[in-house]
Short mmCIF file of all heavy atoms in Angstrom, two decimals:
data_model
loop_
_atom_site.label_atom_id
_atom_site.label_comp_id
_atom_site.label_asym_id
_atom_site.label_seq_id
_atom_site.Cartn_x
_atom_site.Cartn_y
_atom_site.Cartn_z
N GLU D 362 -127.00 108.95 102.09
CA GLU D 362 -127.77 109.78 101.17
C GLU D 362 -129.24 109.78 101.54
O GLU D 362 -129.87 110.83 101.64
CB GLU D 362 -127.57 109.22 99.74
CG GLU D 362 -128.58 109.66 98.71
CD GLU D 362 -128.19 110.97 98.04
OE1 GLU D 362 -127.08 111.48 98.31
OE2 GLU D 362 -129.00 111.49 97.26
N ILE D 374 -141.10 119.77 105.99
CA ILE D 374 -142.45 119.60 106.53
C ILE D 374 -142.68 120.53 107.71
O ILE D 374 -143.67 121.26 107.78
CB ILE D 374 -142.67 118.13 106.97
CG1 ILE D 374 -142.73 117.22 105.74
CG2 ILE D 374 -143.93 117.99 107.81
CD1 ILE D 374 -142.67 115.74 106.07
N ALA D 394 -132.65 121.79 109.43
CA ALA D 394 -131.99 120.49 109.38
C ALA D 394 -130.56 120.56 109.91
O ALA D 394 -129.87 119.55 109.99
CB ALA D 394 -131.97 119.98 107.94
N TYR D 403 -127.20 119.48 96.70
CA TYR D 403 -126.45 118.28 96.36
C TYR D 403 -127.41 117.08 96.38
O TYR D 403 -127.34 116.20 95.53
CB TYR D 403 -125.31 118.07 97.35
CG TYR D 403 -124.53 116.83 97.08
CD1 TYR D 403 -123.55 116.80 96.09
CD2 TYR D 403 -124.77 115.67 97.79
CE1 TYR D 403 -122.85 115.66 95.82
CE2 TYR D 403 -124.07 114.51 97.54
CZ TYR D 403 -123.11 114.51 96.55
OH TYR D 403 -122.41 113.36 96.29
N LYS D 408 -135.05 123.23 94.60
CA LYS D 408 -135.99 123.31 95.71
C LYS D 408 -137.31 122.61 95.38
O LYS D 408 -137.91 121.95 96.23
CB LYS D 408 -136.24 124.78 96.03
CG LYS D 408 -136.94 125.03 97.34
CD LYS D 408 -137.31 126.51 97.45
CE LYS D 408 -138.43 126.74 98.42
NZ LYS D 408 -138.98 128.12 98.29
N ALA D 434 -162.76 95.04 102.96
CA ALA D 434 -164.10 95.62 102.94
C ALA D 434 -165.01 94.80 102.04
O ALA D 434 -164.58 94.28 101.02
CB ALA D 434 -164.03 97.07 102.45
N ARG D 443 -165.22 102.38 104.84
CA ARG D 443 -163.83 102.08 105.15
C ARG D 443 -162.88 103.15 104.59
O ARG D 443 -161.93 103.56 105.23
CB ARG D 443 -163.44 100.73 104.54
CG ARG D 443 -163.83 99.54 105.36
CD ARG D 443 -162.81 99.31 106.49
NE ARG D 443 -163.24 98.17 107.29
CZ ARG D 443 -162.94 96.92 106.97
NH1 ARG D 443 -162.18 96.66 105.89
NH2 ARG D 443 -163.37 95.93 107.73
N PHE D 451 -155.84 108.29 108.92
CA PHE D 451 -154.51 108.62 108.42
C PHE D 451 -154.20 110.10 108.64
O PHE D 451 -153.12 110.48 109.08
CB PHE D 451 -154.40 108.27 106.93
CG PHE D 451 -153.03 108.49 106.38
CD1 PHE D 451 -152.04 107.53 106.55
CD2 PHE D 451 -152.72 109.66 105.68
CE1 PHE D 451 -150.75 107.74 106.06
CE2 PHE D 451 -151.44 109.86 105.19
CZ PHE D 451 -150.46 108.90 105.37
N HIS D 455 -151.04 112.05 110.90
CA HIS D 455 -149.97 112.88 110.32
C HIS D 455 -150.48 114.28 109.97
O HIS D 455 -150.30 114.74 108.84
CB HIS D 455 -149.42 112.22 109.04
CG HIS D 455 -149.07 110.79 109.18
ND1 HIS D 455 -147.89 110.37 109.78
CD2 HIS D 455 -149.72 109.66 108.82
CE1 HIS D 455 -147.85 109.04 109.76
NE2 HIS D 455 -148.94 108.58 109.19
N TRP D 458 -147.76 116.77 108.49
CA TRP D 458 -147.24 116.37 107.18
C TRP D 458 -148.27 116.66 106.10
O TRP D 458 -147.97 117.19 105.03
CB TRP D 458 -146.87 114.88 107.21
CG TRP D 458 -146.09 114.40 106.03
CD1 TRP D 458 -145.80 115.09 104.90
CD2 TRP D 458 -145.49 113.11 105.88
NE1 TRP D 458 -145.05 114.32 104.05
CE2 TRP D 458 -144.85 113.10 104.61
CE3 TRP D 458 -145.43 111.96 106.67
CZ2 TRP D 458 -144.16 111.98 104.15
CZ3 TRP D 458 -144.74 110.85 106.20
CH2 TRP D 458 -144.11 110.87 104.94
N MET D 493 -166.26 103.84 93.06
CA MET D 493 -166.96 103.17 94.16
C MET D 493 -168.43 103.51 94.14
O MET D 493 -169.30 102.64 94.33
CB MET D 493 -166.39 103.65 95.50
CG MET D 493 -165.13 102.94 95.96
SD MET D 493 -164.75 103.39 97.69
CE MET D 493 -163.53 104.67 97.46
N MET D 511 -170.95 114.37 94.34
CA MET D 511 -170.85 113.58 95.56
C MET D 511 -169.39 113.24 95.86
O MET D 511 -168.91 113.42 96.98
CB MET D 511 -171.67 112.29 95.42
CG MET D 511 -171.65 111.40 96.66
SD MET D 511 -172.46 112.15 98.09
CE MET D 511 -174.18 111.98 97.63
N ARG D 516 -164.49 113.94 99.08
CA ARG D 516 -163.05 114.27 99.15
C ARG D 516 -162.83 115.57 99.93
O ARG D 516 -161.90 115.69 100.73
CB ARG D 516 -162.52 114.40 97.72
CG ARG D 516 -161.01 114.46 97.59
CD ARG D 516 -160.36 113.18 98.04
NE ARG D 516 -159.27 113.45 98.96
CZ ARG D 516 -158.61 112.53 99.64
NH1 ARG D 516 -158.93 111.26 99.53
NH2 ARG D 516 -157.65 112.86 100.46
N ALA D 527 -155.06 119.34 113.46
CA ALA D 527 -153.83 120.08 113.75
C ALA D 527 -154.04 121.09 114.87
O ALA D 527 -153.18 121.28 115.72
CB ALA D 527 -153.33 120.78 112.49
N PRO D 530 -156.04 119.32 119.13
CA PRO D 530 -155.43 118.00 119.30
C PRO D 530 -156.25 117.08 120.19
O PRO D 530 -155.99 115.87 120.23
CB PRO D 530 -154.06 118.30 119.92
CG PRO D 530 -154.09 119.73 120.34
CD PRO D 530 -155.29 120.39 119.79
N ASP D 546 -172.99 107.91 104.43
CA ASP D 546 -173.79 106.69 104.26
C ASP D 546 -175.25 107.08 104.06
O ASP D 546 -175.90 106.62 103.12
CB ASP D 546 -173.62 105.79 105.48
CG ASP D 546 -174.26 104.43 105.24
OD1 ASP D 546 -174.02 103.85 104.15
OD2 ASP D 546 -175.01 103.96 106.11
#
Side-chain angles (χ1 to χ4, degrees):
Chain D
E362 162 87 6
I374 290 169
Y403 179 80
K408 193 188 158 193
R443 278 279 178 86
F451 184 82
H455 311 281
W458 191 353
M493 277 191 262
M511 181 66 75
R516 192 65 229 172
D546 189 47

